[in-house]
Structures are given as C-alpha cells and as structure tokens.
Amino acid sequence: MASSQSQPNRLATGGRIDRNQPCHFTFNGEPLEGFAGDSLASALLANNKHLVARSFKYHRPRGIMGAGVEEPNAMVQLGYGAHTIPNLKATEIELHDGLEAESVNCWPSVSFDVSSINGLFSKFFPAGFYYKTFMPSQFLWMKVFEPIIRKAAGWGKAPSEPDPDSYDHRHVHCDVMVVGGGPAGLAAAREAAKSGARVILADEQPEFGGSLLSLNRTVDGLSGADWVAREVQKLEAASEVRLLPRTTVFGYYHHNYLCAVERRHDRYDQGSSSADPQMRLWHIRAKMVVLATGAHERPLVFADNDRPGIMLASAAQSYVNRYGVAPGRRAVLFTNNDGAYEAALDLKAAGVEVAEIVDVRQEATGTLPKEALEAGIKVSSNSAITAVKGKSRVAGVTLHKLGGNGQSVSGEGRQVACDLILMSGGWSPVVHLFCHTQGKMAFDEAKACFVPAKPREATLWAGAVGGSFDLAGALVEGVAQGRTAALAAGFEPTDGDSPVIASEEPDLGSLEARWVVPTVEPIGRSKAKHFVDYQNDSTAADIRLAAREGFDNVEHMKRYTLSGFGTDQGKTGNINALAILSDAVDRAIAETGTTTFRPPYTPVPFGVMAGRELGDWLDPKRVTAIQDWHEAQGASFEDVGQWKRPWFFPKAGEDIHAAVARECAAVRDTVGLLDASTLGKIDIQGPDAAEFLNRIYTNAWLKLKVGSIRYGLMCHEDGMIFDDGTTARLGENHFLMTTTTGGAATVMDWLEEYLQTEWPDLKVYCTSVTEQWSTVAVAGPKARTVLERVCSDIDLAPEAFPFMTFRDGTVAGSPARVSRISFTGELSYEVSVPWSHGKALWEALYEAGEEFGITPYGTETMHVLRAEKGFIIVGQETDGTVTPQDLGMDWIVSKAKKDFIGKRSFSRADTVRLDRKQLVGLLTEDPGFVLPEGAQIVIDPNAPTPIPMLGHVTSSYWSPAMGRSIALALIKGGRARKGDRLFAPLEDRTQAVTIVDPVFIDPEGKRRDG
C-alpha cells in the first residue's frame, strides 16, 4: 500500500477517482486535498481523518461507518453564510475544489467537546430519563429543564440568511418507474425500455451501478463498471427513457405516486438560478413501479461498537475499490456471515494488513473463508470482540471464545492490535418505500431480515430488496420484473436473456443471526455500551429497559428509546432493535413486527419543497381587470384571500373614517360603484345539477325557475355555516354559483369532494370561472337611471325585472349578464361581462353616473352598509360554531327536504339549546363610541373574576345613516334579551350596551326597489 504525504491513506492505484484533478477543501478549518470522484467521506479517510463527529446524547467520538445513505454518524455542516447547509452526510457529498465543511453537535471542537461530560453521567440518562426526572414539577419542566434540553437538541445550524438558491418542481407520468440504479434496477429498466414503455430510472448516487462500482465482478465478459457504462449508454439512447442520477425517491404514496428530489449539481454550495435550479422535486405518477433499492449492511451489536475506526465491511470495500482509499492499516473483521470475508480479501489485496477474522459461528466452511485462510489471514471461529481499545480512534480489541450456545464468553481474553474494525451482521433490505404504501412484509428466518411480501400498489421488486443478495439472482430478477412491469403497463416485452455472470461469484454461505454479542460483564452493568441506533445513542440496554417498563410494543419502544428516529430512520439499526426487543419479551421477530417507515426516506430541504412558491409567488397577488383604475384613483387596498380589493377611496385630506362616511352617504343617497369581480364563481352543469345543489344548500333548489337567483347557505356535516352566496339558474341543467371571495377555492374543493366520494352517481360538472367574468355592482337610488344610460336592450323596470332575477343583454357595448341582487339594502344591479371588458364597463358606468356624483366604494363601506341592514359575513358573524338558526335564519333551512348536508345535526340537543349564542344588534350608551370587534359582553362587569361571558362583538362600525355607532354580536339567548342593558368591559373603560334587532335601517326593505 503506497500513499502520498498529503493523503497518507490514498492507495497508489485503483478507484474511480480522477487523480489528475485534485480538489482542495477544508474540514473544521484544516486545509486538505482529495480528487474529483471522491466523496467527502473518502477524502477524509484518505487524509487519515477518522474522528469526524460527536454523538447526539453522550457526545461520544464518532467516525465514518458507512459509504452511502446508511451512514449514521458523519453528519457535517457544509458551507457558510447563506449557502450553509446543515446535517448532510459526508458519505453523500461529492468532493469539489473549494468545499468547506465542519463537524456539528460539538463545542468548541470535535476533538475536545465540552458536552462529552454527558458520557460520565450516562447511567443517569437512560431511555426515557426526562419523563422520569423532570415531569413531576410542571414549573421546573417548563421554565428550567425543557429550555435546556431544547437548546441541547438538534445537530447543525439552520442558515439565518435568505436562501440564495432556486428550486423547481416537475410533474411527469411514466409506464414503468424503476427505483434504484444498481444491477437489478439497470436490468429491469433495460427490459422495460426494450418494449417501448416510458421508463424512468432514478438512483441517489451520482452515477449508476450500485454495488458493481465497489465489487470485483464481470458481467457479459465486461468488468462490472464497463457493463454499467454499456447499459447506461443504451438507456440514454432510448427515446422513452428518462435517467435521473443524484435523485432520491423519498416518498411512495398510493396510486403509484412517487416524489423524488434530484440534486442537479455536483456541489451543494454552488449558486443557482431560475433557469438552472439547485434541486428539483419530481412528482411521478407511474403505471408500474419496480423497486430495486438494494440492502444495507447492518452492524453487529458488541461492546463499544461506535469508536472511530469501526466500519461496515461493505463500506471499507467501497472505499478501497471505488475510491482508492485504505480506511486503516491493520484491520480486524468481525462477522456472522461468509459475505464479509470478501471485504477482508479486497483490503488485503490493496495492501491493508488483515490481522484476524473473528466469526461468531461455530465453523465457517464456505469458499470465501477458505480463500481467506489460503491468503494467510487468521480466522477465529466461535469468537467475539468483547472490548475495544482506544477512544478517538480504535487501537485494538479484546477477543474471547464464546460459550453457552453463543450467549456468554469463556476463557481468557486475547488482545489484538488494530486501527480498523470491519463488522458485518448481515443485510437489511431497503424496504422503506415499499412500506410507505402499507405493503405487507414477511420475516425471512434464513437471511434474518424482513422482505416484501404483499404489495398494496402496482409494485414489483428485484434484487437485494427482496432478499436476493447475490449478483446473478439480482440480474435474473431485474430482467424478469422489467418484462413483467412492461407487460402490466400494456406493452409487449421482447425476448432477451439475462446477463451472463462471467466470473465465478463467491458463495455467500449461511448467516447466523447474533443480535447482541455477549461480553465479560452483563449488558447494562458494564461501562461498555452496545449501540444499536448510532445516531440517537440508543443501546441494547435501553431497549431491554423499555421492555421491562412495559414499552414492549415496537412503536412504543421506538419512541421510548429513539431507536429509528432522526435522519437515519433505522437504516442500519432497525432489525437489531426489533430482535433485541423480541428476545426481551420472548416473542418471535415476525410477531413483534417492524416500526412504521414513513416518508421521507431521507431528509428533504424546505427549499425544494417550496420550489418557486416564494415571496410574491408564495401567495400570488390577484387583481381584477379594473386594478389600474383603482390605483389611479388612489385607492387603499386590503388582502382578501389572494385578491387585492379596494378598501376605500380617500380624497385629499381624508382618513379612512371620512372616506367611508362619504362613500356610505353616496350609496344611500345617490349611487355608488363596487368592483365585485373577486367573488367566487363556479359553473355547475349536468342533468343532476339541481339535485346536487338541493343537497349542498340548506334550502330548496329543485323548483328554482330559469332566470331566477336564490341565496343559499352551506353547512358542514355538523350543521355549522361555512359559506354563503347566490346561485342563478341559467338553464334547466345549468347553474352559476357565487361564493365569498376568500372561500371560493374551499367551496370548489368541497363540491368536488362530495361528487367524487359521497355522490359519484350524480352527473354534475363543476368549473371555476371566477376569472372569466368581471362584475361591477351599481347600488343606490340612482342605480337604475345610471344603468339605463349604457344598456338599451334590457327592460330595467321593477315589474319587468324583479329582485333576485337576471337578464342577458348588452351593457356598454359588451355582452353582459345583469343580476338584481343587493348586499347594501339599496336598489342594486350586478353587471358581469367577460373579464377583459371589466375596465371598459366600469369607466362607462362611471361616466354615466357623473351627473349624480357617482362614487366608487370599497370593502369597508360595503361592510358598513351590509351591517346597517343586518346582513352577515361568513367568517365574521360565523366562526365554525354558528348554525343558521343562531343567526335568525331559520327561514333558509328547509323542513320539507329529505336531506341536505348538516340536516341531522340540527336535531342534536346542543343545536336546539335556547341559550346558544344568537345574532343581535347592539347600541352603545355612548353613541359616539365604536366598540372594538371581539369585545366580550357580560351582565355584571363587577362580578368576581373570571367574569361569566355572554358573547362577543362580531362587527362594529360608525353608521353614517344612523348618525351613531352600531354593532352586531353573538349573545347567549340573545333574541330573548332584546332591550336588556349589558356591558362590554374594555381595557380603559366599561361601555354599556343595549340589545336591539340586528336590522338597523329599512327593516321593511322598501329601499331595495328604488
């Protein structure tokens, strides 16, 4: 093994790195060097950097254990300032020139971490210690303990500056989605592509190939890497294939919907633009899915198995063969299976001294153990590592012979010096995505792992994810499943043979599951710890404690011990934890079951989830076709939903109160204009449209005449109001519904939900047409006169055009629909024209009304006018606990209809109580004082606290028409309290109020007809 001074552990030859392209980087401020093609982890190992992290709870020294996404320890902070990214795994970061990384969860440095003192008190910090220690005193928990624990929690630091990068989303459909670009995935994608199917192949690595990039194999007479290159080239040439390297499928949802994050650049800290985003979130909908996600090697649980220098055997093999790095100089291999022997042989061939192979099995007789013996490597069967020397780096091990059927140790311990421990406890199929859709698994006793058994979706699997850990089996399954997927997607697969494995593949032999390796002292009593979940410092003793304390359900154990939490999500330790729990409660592993794997499989940045919906795009600003006119007149705007609506139109020297008083007076005395284009509009058609509305609304709709309009309330199933509006019958099977501005999307979703889930037999089609129509309300005594000047083909006389009807005609030269609807109590017409004609209509009406002092008015004036008439606003007079009866609107609740949404709830005891809060009007004793909205109403303001509350103010205004303040309120038993004198206790005064009818002006409704 040769090495350079700058990279002492770099092998002289080998690996897939580019030795002609050096990369200079810093780790914890120290300048180091690697090569293009390295991961940060391999470059650190090349530079003999083994201590790279600290553990979560005890802040123990930790090193690199894996070579990919399964790495639990080596999390780092990448970059600085706005480009910093926390909690990335060093094994997944591609090295590039100028990279800056540092360790997380340590202070002041990774080599000297003050918080490592926690390890000295580890006996006081067992699983669930905070429940037992801190909870008795709520005060101390809230004020002292919880703040300290929360401050200590977490890993890296989130950036405080705005994210400078760009992200986007893509939606795509395919016939076959293959997840995993290893040998099985490549074979499946190739076979599916040959049929002409649309294929997507995604893999989290920057290059396809999976295990073939780390193993010495030949396929079809080519080296594994060359075979991969050939297959990728074929797939790239196929017109219906999309290849997505650097893409992690993190979620698999029902109906074969998958989400994946593509990292589009080879560096995280590189600036990106809208045209070239940093990451992309793929929304993929597939007819068939083939999972070829492989398997993760799992560790053995032995004493102090977390020291830097302890590594998965397959990871060491990857560093040697793929990256040209020797992860140590003298190694000991600890295993329970034959497959790990290959790693020892590869390390020896690379010049690493393999001091000994320690095998827990009574005898290892496979071909690989024989090769190891022939290579001069000492093999100790029926033995175990019982202690690890060294703290910041492995310095040696203590070995014992096993006794008592492997449950104890015997004899004297033997010391072996080493700086590297390779461990292999078998393989755990990566079934996370399969479980996302609630697929059922089975426990394979021979291979000691859970494998997919019964899918819930159109899912197939191939290779190691199904327990086929040999290359030949993986390729055969890949070919078969690719062909099956294509056929199921409607394509005819072509004939083709499986790839030929030219080299003799090692016999992996048998595996002997050994979930916890015994040591000299009983587990839990010795100072040594047997780690199961490395990331969360969960130990075998913690799991056994959980079982003793009654947390014997696998999900309870997970939460009690934190095993399977964090970014690791049980990738390496899950099966060990389940097996230890099963043993503790004397239950079969299959009976214990697994924890629930949920999306995301790996962490997903918030930025990529948001995509381009940031800033103004987060909540788009919607404006009407008349916006330019409003702005030119100096309107003040308010946000209603996503809409910018004119709030009021101030003239020089006017504040909001003066402007609103002027606008109110104009509508009451002459004429005003309101831009009502933002009201939600839903086109409803179909032979069952009337029946549908009859079920949605509380009142009757079957007999509404064509040309007529009706007001309606919608309720949830609990009978509480959630929206209102008017609906016009345009034809026998054609209606146009209006909704509140802010509720349009909710109502549309509500209608579709009922059509799709509750009444799929109804033939009804709903289309949002809010932005197809501009609507202008002309209101006031002169409204008819103004409209007549721009409309000659509609008879506007009251007897020809009655209230709550509409007429089609021409207004201001544009085809229009004119509706007689009033939300002010005055004579009013709502004129709707095609959206782009809105401004021309407004200007024509404004010009026609100038003689009468026509006045544009905004939402604040509209609110005052409607409150004077006692009209409600959903969301202001309602809050999700208000029924139509509470508002005095019994008349709108049909007693004859068989059913409608919410009907049954009106017969509940709670909804018929006489002391429910009911809508009333309030007049203040001081007529000039306007009550604050939300003010509480009480009988006796001097009663001892807490003072019983009768209700609260929902709307409150100065009324120009009344010459005083008015308010609407919800008061317990309010209608029976009319005339009562109550009080509103406020911060600086108590205001007396009198309950009155909620209709303050024109109770007979005479002004409605002009």
Side-chain angles (χ1 to χ4, degrees):
M1 180 181 71
S3 63
S4 67
Q5 187 174 0
S6 62
Q7 300 179 52
N9 288 353
R10 180 71 70 182
L11 298 176
T13 60
R16 297 179 58 76
I17 55 174
D18 185 351
R19 297 173 187 266
N20 296 318
Q21 188 177 340
C23 295
H24 298 87
F25 69 103
T26 63
F27 183 68
N28 291 329
E30 181 182 357
L32 300 169
E33 184 180 276
F35 294 114
D38 265 322
S39 67
L40 174 59
S42 66
L44 288 172
L45 291 171
N47 286 273
N48 203 34
K49 299 298 177 184
H50 289 265
L51 172 59
V52 299
R54 289 280 175 166
S55 69
F56 175 67
K57 186 163 66 172
Y58 302 129
H59 288 254
R60 289 167 65 100
R62 290 285 168 81
I64 296 164
M65 193 179 92
V69 70
E70 77 282 357
E71 170 59 44
N73 295 330
M75 292 199 298
V76 300
Q77 186 98 16
L78 200 64
Y80 294 92
H83 282 289
T84 188
I85 304 177
N87 305 338
L88 293 175
K89 296 180 179 180
T91 52
E92 294 187 287
I93 300 171
E94 296 174 61
L95 192 69
H96 61 79
D97 199 53
L99 181 145
E100 298 174 314
E102 61 182 20
S103 301
V104 299
N105 196 43
C106 56
W107 184 84
S109 70
V110 70
S111 57
F112 178 72
D113 183 8
V114 171
S115 296
S116 63
I117 194 173
N118 290 357
L120 299 177
F121 301 97
S122 61
K123 288 194 174 182
F124 299 101
F125 301 147
F129 75 95
Y130 35 84
Y131 297 122
K132 307 167 190 175
T133 309
F134 302 131
M135 286 305 185
S137 171
Q138 282 294 306
F139 174 81
L140 289 176
W141 170 252
M142 296 297 293
K143 300 298 183 182
V144 180
F145 301 130
E146 185 185 32
I148 293 173
I149 291 173
R150 288 198 178 280
K151 188 174 182 180
W155 293 90
K157 298 177 181 178
S160 57
E161 302 175 32
D163 190 345
D165 289 316
S166 296
Y167 311 89
D168 67 6
H169 289 205
R170 289 284 298 273
H171 294 259
V172 64
H173 292 257
C174 66
D175 300 305
V176 179
M177 173 72 195
V178 181
V179 185
L186 286 169
R190 181 191 69 179
E191 291 302 312
K194 285 162 60 177
S195 71
R198 296 170 299 168
V199 177
I200 296 177
L201 173 64
D203 190 90
E204 63 197 7
Q205 293 286 323
E207 53 182 339
F208 295 103
S211 61
L212 286 177
L213 302 181
S214 300
L215 298 174
N216 294 313
R217 298 284 189 276
T218 58
V219 185
D220 283 349
L222 302 172
S223 69
D226 287 343
W227 180 82
V228 169
R230 186 190 73 180
E231 296 304 308
V232 169
Q233 187 176 23
K234 289 180 181 179
L235 291 169
E236 287 175 337
S239 60
E240 295 294 338
V241 173
R242 187 190 297 271
L243 299 180
L244 295 176
R246 293 195 184 97
T247 302
T248 301
V249 179
F250 66 83
Y252 185 8
Y253 308 92
H254 292 303
H255 309 296
N256 270 14
Y257 168 49
L258 302 96
C259 286
V261 171
E262 176 192 10
R263 183 162 54 86
R264 293 176 51 76
H265 301 285
D266 61 356
R267 52 192 295 177
Y268 284 93
D269 56 355
Q270 175 176 306
S272 57
S273 64
S274 296
D276 188 21
Q278 176 70 261
M279 298 182 189
R280 175 172 290 158
L281 179 59
W282 288 89
H283 302 263
I284 303 166
R285 290 163 176 84
K287 291 182 180 178
M288 293 296 299
V289 171
V290 179
L291 297 178
T293 46
H296 294 145
E297 191 170 26
R298 55 178 177 253
L300 285 167
V301 181
F302 59 95
D304 289 333
N305 57 338
D306 68 326
R307 301 298 193 198
I310 299 179
M311 184 178 293
L312 294 171
S314 60
Q317 200 171 8
S318 291
Y319 289 120
V320 167
N321 294 333
R322 182 172 179 179
Y323 297 107
V325 171
R329 296 185 177 276
R330 194 167 196 265
V332 170
L333 172 66
F334 188 24
T335 183
N336 65 354
N337 64 89
D338 282 9
Y341 282 74
E342 187 178 8
L345 290 167
D346 283 357
L347 262 66
K348 182 174 177 60
V352 177
E353 180 185 357
V354 181
E356 193 164 340
I357 296 177
V358 182
D359 198 322
V360 298
R361 296 174 295 178
Q362 288 284 339
E363 191 175 9
T365 58
T367 57
L368 284 170
K370 289 179 181 178
E371 287 182 30
L373 289 170
E374 292 170 359
I377 301 175
K378 181 178 180 179
V379 177
S380 298
S381 299
N382 193 33
S383 301
I385 294 177
T386 54
V388 177
K389 295 177 63 177
K391 185 176 181 182
S392 297
R393 174 76 187 275
V394 168
V397 296
T398 301
L399 306 180
H400 276 84
K401 281 291 185 180
L402 292 173
N405 197 26
Q407 301 304 309
S408 62
V409 298
S410 63
E412 293 293 324
R414 180 165 54 85
Q415 307 296 319
V416 178
C418 63
D419 63 358
L420 177 65
I421 298 174
L422 310 183
M423 56 180 173
S424 176
W427 293 87
S428 296
V430 181
V431 294
H432 298 65
L433 294 178
F434 179 81
C435 294
H436 287 178
T437 57
Q438 299 178 322
K440 300 299 182 182
M441 293 190 295
F443 187 71
D444 188 320
E445 293 285 351
K447 297 173 182 176
C449 61
F450 280 95
V451 295
K454 186 177 180 181
R456 290 285 296 273
E457 303 296 325
T459 310
L460 303 170
W461 52 90
V465 68
S468 296
F469 300 133
D470 62 301
L471 178 59
L475 289 170
V476 168
E477 286 185 5
V479 169
Q481 300 295 55
R483 291 167 58 82
T484 302
L487 184 63
F491 295 84
E492 189 64 36
T494 59
D495 292 332
D497 297 326
S498 300
V500 177
I501 312 301
S503 62
E504 184 178 345
E505 192 174 7
D507 179 7
L508 299 181
S510 62
L511 174 146
E512 183 179 311
R514 191 63 57 88
W515 304 114
V516 180
V517 177
T519 188
V520 176
E521 296 180 350
I523 293 174
R525 296 184 187 177
S526 69
K527 293 182 180 179
K529 295 188 179 299
H530 296 63
F531 285 96
V532 178
D533 186 306
Y534 290 76
Q535 192 167 98
N536 296 292
D537 277 348
S538 303
T539 67
D542 290 332
I543 296 170
R544 290 180 176 180
L545 175 64
R548 289 197 303 272
E549 297 191 346
F551 295 89
D552 55 356
N553 179 279
V554 67
E555 295 291 357
H556 295 163
M557 178 276 291
K558 173 181 177 179
R559 284 149 184 81
Y560 196 69
T561 66
L562 300 184
S563 183
F565 271 72
T567 63
D568 183 60
Q569 289 293 298
K571 292 179 178 63
T572 55
N574 192 64
I575 186 62
N576 287 335
L578 303 178
I580 294 169
L581 176 66
S582 298
D583 179 68
V585 297
D586 194 23
R587 213 166 40 208
I589 296 176
E591 184 182 349
T592 297
T594 68
T595 55
T596 302
F597 293 119
R598 298 181 179 89
Y601 169 65
T602 55
V604 178
F606 286 122
V608 76
M609 297 293 282
R612 306 202 177 199
E613 297 176 6
L614 304 170
D616 289 341
W617 296 103
L618 174 62
D619 194 16
K621 181 174 70 175
R622 303 173 74 184
V623 298
T624 72
I626 315 169
Q627 179 73 9
D628 292 345
W629 193 96
H630 300 326
E631 292 178 356
Q633 296 301 311
S636 290
F637 295 91
E638 71 167 337
D639 295 325
V640 183
Q642 294 175 328
W643 291 96
K644 291 288 184 183
R645 295 199 71 180
W647 189 17
F648 59 96
F649 291 83
K651 291 189 174 182
E654 286 185 337
D655 61 9
I656 182 174
H657 304 294
V660 170
R662 174 178 51 78
E663 292 171 13
C664 286
V667 176
R668 294 287 183 219
D669 298 339
T670 54
V671 64
L673 282 181
L674 174 76
D675 185 352
S677 305
T678 63
L679 292 176
K681 307 172 192 71
I682 301 174
D683 187 277
I684 300 173
Q685 299 189 46
D688 298 317
E691 173 62 26
F692 177 57
L693 292 176
N694 212 44
R695 300 181 189 182
I696 288 287
Y697 282 124
T698 61
N699 50 342
W701 288 82
L702 295 177
K703 296 181 180 179
L704 181 67
K705 294 180 179 179
V706 174
S708 294
I709 304 169
R710 184 162 289 168
Y711 174 75
L713 284 178
M714 294 183 191
C715 295
H716 283 298
E717 292 90 342
D718 59 5
M720 307 303 167
I721 296 170
F722 90 95
D723 206 86
D724 71 340
T726 60
T727 296
R729 191 164 198 168
L730 309 184
E732 187 63 28
N733 300 318
H734 190 184
F735 295 81
L736 181 66
M737 174 189 289
T738 64
T739 72
T740 57
T741 295
T746 303
V747 172
M748 182 69 180
D749 182 69
W750 179 255
L751 300 181
E752 286 291 354
E753 179 179 344
Y754 265 83
L755 283 173
Q756 294 180 33
T757 64
E758 303 299 325
W759 307 318
D761 55 308
L762 295 184
K763 294 181 180 179
V764 180
Y765 310 95
C766 301
T767 307
S768 175
V769 294
T770 300
E771 293 181 337
Q772 273 61 53
W773 298 96
S774 288
T775 301
V776 177
V778 190
K782 296 295 184 181
R784 183 180 297 115
T785 304
V786 171
L787 187 56
E788 284 175 338
R789 295 183 175 186
V790 294
C791 175
S792 59
D793 59 353
I794 299 177
D795 186 350
L796 300 177
E799 56 277 5
F801 194 169
F803 185 63
M804 297 300 280
T805 62
F806 70 87
R807 300 290 184 267
D808 291 334
T810 304
V811 179
S814 175
R817 177 172 297 125
V818 181
S819 303
R820 271 212 58 194
I821 303 171
S822 178
F823 196 47
T824 63
E826 301 295 330
L827 174 65
S828 181
Y829 299 89
E830 290 187 3
V831 184
S832 296
V833 295
W835 183 266
S836 59
H837 296 200
K839 186 177 180 182
L841 170 67
W842 180 276
E843 290 175 338
L845 289 168
Y846 189 78
E847 181 180 352
E850 281 189 307
E851 175 187 343
F852 309 109
I854 192 168
T855 300
Y857 66 96
T859 54
E860 187 65 17
T861 296
M862 177 186 69
H863 290 174
V864 175
L865 296 172
R866 65 89 197 173
E868 291 174 340
K869 283 292 296 177
F871 295 153
I872 68 163
I873 292 182
V874 172
Q876 194 152 334
E877 273 63 56
T878 69
D879 60 0
T881 66
V882 178
T883 68
Q885 294 87 343
D886 295 337
L887 300 178
M889 300 176 69
D890 309 61
W891 54 269
I892 204 170
V893 180
S894 173
K895 294 179 176 57
K897 285 202 302 184
K898 179 181 178 181
D899 200 9
F900 57 85
I901 299 175
K903 178 177 181 177
R904 281 166 285 183
S905 294
F906 295 144
S907 61
R908 292 189 301 122
D910 184 68
T911 56
V912 297
R913 287 188 293 108
L914 297 179
D915 64 342
R916 284 184 63 83
K917 289 183 179 181
Q918 298 169 339
L919 185 68
V920 297
L922 296 180
L923 293 178
T924 54
E925 194 168 86
D926 177 359
F929 182 75
V930 179
L931 288 166
E933 292 179 350
Q936 296 293 316
I937 305 299
V938 303
I939 296 176
D940 180 6
N942 298 314
T945 56
I947 303 174
M949 304 295 178
L950 284 182
H952 66 281
V953 176
T954 60
S955 298
S956 183
Y957 308 98
W958 172 262
S959 168
M962 296 283 290
R964 60 159 300 130
S965 67
I966 62 171
L968 298 175
L970 287 169
I971 303 294
K972 290 181 180 179
R975 285 195 288 274
R977 292 179 177 271
K978 288 183 182 178
D980 286 4
R981 186 170 183 265
L982 303 174
F983 299 90
L986 306 172
E987 186 176 2
D988 58 348
R989 65 190 293 179
T990 296
Q991 178 63 45
V993 298
T994 302
I995 295 184
V996 298
D997 192 88
V999 182
F1000 294 97
I1001 68 168
D1002 189 28
E1004 300 84 8
K1006 295 180 180 179
R1007 301 176 67 94
R1008 185 188 70 190
D1009 296 321

